[in-house]
Each structure stands twice: as C-alpha cells, then as structure tokens.
Amino acid sequence: TNVSRLFEADCCGKTVVAAGENGVIVVSNDYGSTFGPAPTSPVTGSITALYVHDENSWDIGTATGEYWCTRDGGSTWQQTNYGAPLTNILDICYANTEVGMIVGTGGLYTTFTGGELNTWSSDESARIPQSITSNLVKCHWPCCGNMTCQVNNVLLAGFTGVTGQLFVGQPS
C-alpha cells in the first residue's frame, strides 16, 4: 500500500489500524508486524480521527466532519449522524462499549448507546469550561492495564488562542 501521510493510529489486542489522507486505511492483525489495506474506505478525503473497538469494529472521523463506523473489519461502512456538523473531527474516544465522545472544530458530542442509531448529542455540561469546548483537539479516558474506566474521569485537551488547556473530569 502506498501511503503518503498517516494522521491517526489505534489498536486493540493484536489489531492495529492506521488512517490518513486520501481515505487510506491500513490494517495489521499481527501487532503491527505486517500491514495491508482495509477492504474498503468510505471516504476519499483525509481521515483525522480513529478509534478501534476490537478487531472488526472501528470508527473514523474526517476533516470535513463525517463520522463512519464499520463492524466487519472495513468491508462495509455506515455513516452516523451525530447532530450539527463539526467542520473537522479531531478525536474519537470511548470509556466502554456504550459511552463515547467526538471532539472537533466547533464542539463536543457524546453518546451513551455506543454511537449507534444516531444517538449522539452535543454536551451542554457546565462542568467543562466553554473556553475548552469550543477549541477541543483531544479526548481520552485513562484506563491503564486492567483498570475499569470511570465514565466521568475524562481528559480533554484544547486551546484558547495560543494557550493550551487541559480539563480533567473527576468521578462524581
């Protein structure tokens, strides 16, 4: 596979998926020792966000704000409507199989049903400073080793002007 620029990579178990410009998606099922193209890609533009749930289930976001998911290792894809469009999806993260988050230029969207069936909603939480929600670039649930993720313990990184900010949600 001729890959000029990869923007995102994620893994789960022995499956590693990387994606980038021109809709390129490459997959390894041997911990990254060898890679090959995904069976299909739903887009031709830049893939800017990626989350790997397991060997067959992956979610991608694009520079134009599209959100796609596959549940069969990239053979078929379903576009998901998460609400008012973001102009650029920058990150996708999940705390578990049900609770997830999309961040991008213009906002933050959350799901409590695994992102299926267009169940995303914009987060109106007063706990997250507005200065960060309008300029988010990354989200992450810190679940190291065999620890269970605390749904309310999320890391969000963003910026205001040239100043970076980090918000750490605490379990309630």
Side-chain angles (χ1 to χ4, degrees), residues 158-165:
F159 63 92
T160 54
V162 295
T163 305
Q165 293 186 1

Side-chain angles (χ1 to χ4, degrees), residues 73-159:
S75 293
T76 61
W77 294 85
Q78 176 184 353
Q79 188 170 14
T80 299
N81 177 6
Y82 54 85
L86 299 172
T87 55
N88 185 7
I89 296 177
L90 298 168
D91 205 4
I92 302 165
C93 60
Y94 278 82
N96 54 44
T97 59
E98 300 298 315
V99 180
M101 188 176 293
I102 305 171
V103 298
T105 305
L108 163 71
Y109 288 84
T110 55
T111 182
F112 296 94
T113 60
E116 301 294 332
L117 305 172
N118 304 327
T119 56
W120 294 90
S121 62
S122 61
D123 190 296
E124 304 297 333
S125 173
R127 294 183 47 204
I128 302 172
Q130 179 60 35
S131 61
I132 264 194
T133 58
S134 59
N135 296 295
L136 286 171
V137 292
K138 287 289 179 188
C139 61
H140 180 71
W141 266 282
C143 307
C144 300
N146 292 327
M147 291 175 47
T148 301
C149 286
Q150 296 292 322
V151 171
N152 292 328
N153 193 16
V154 64
L155 301 173
L156 299 172
F159 63 92

